[in-house]
Amino acid sequence: MVGMLKSKRVLLRELEEEDWVGVHHYASQEKVCRYQPWGPNTEQDSKEFVMQVLRDAAKDNRERFVFAILLRENGKMIGAGEITKQDHTNRVGEIGYIIHPAYWGSGYATETANALLTFGFRQLKFHRIFATCDPRNIGSSRVLEKVGMTLEGRLREDLLLRDGWRDSLLYSVLEQEWIEK
């Protein structure tokens, strides 16, 4: 158990079985998964996602940490954030986040990304943390830049979506850059 990650307006707590309902509220929407290889989710898809997260959390050599994003003011789940160990030897992690569209443009993704980076560098002791996003997803690119990540380049046709291959923009931040913030 990791405990709660906190920022000014959101709390991040590890996903729980009943969170499939909150996941389904955003993951069932076409506009939310437009740039993702999954979705729109059926109820069963959302339940299976949460059950897989719980199985991953129970592993001895845990590599994946998935958090429900909760509003501090009322505890409402508005999305999910994730950090994954990608390379143990070189201490590399990857972050991702997804926010219900009713809360887009309000800074919640930025707060979530900052909390994930802090957790990754302080608790998981990563040296480098990266994230990718679809070049068409301007909002996500802005979030990654706001949290101090550097655009490293473009991965060409690295992800197959429903409408064909997609490129990904690759962003990263190094431990010493994060400390300097």
Side-chain angles (χ1 to χ4, degrees), residues 6-78:
K6 300 175 182 177
S7 73
K8 184 179 177 183
R9 299 176 301 151
V10 297
L11 299 172
L12 278 67
R13 72 149 164 75
E14 290 200 71
L15 221 55
E16 299 170 354
E17 188 171 348
E18 59 273 9
D19 288 331
W20 77 265
V21 175
V23 168
H24 193 67
H25 281 278
Y26 60 80
S28 60
Q29 297 184 47
E30 176 67 38
K31 64 183 167 183
V32 171
C33 50
R34 175 176 39 196
Y35 305 125
Q36 304 299 329
W38 51 266
N41 280 11
T42 63
E43 284 189 1
Q44 188 60 35
D45 293 333
S46 296
K47 288 177 184 176
E48 287 174 9
F49 165 75
V50 171
M51 294 311 294
Q52 183 60 55
V53 165
L54 296 177
R55 285 191 296 274
D56 291 344
K59 291 181 180 177
D60 288 336
N61 293 322
R62 188 170 180 188
E63 297 184 355
R64 185 180 190 200
F65 300 83
V66 182
F67 300 91
I69 303 168
L70 309 172
L71 293 176
R72 273 187 172 231
E73 64 187 44
N74 59 18
K76 181 178 172 110
M77 182 177 174
I78 62 164

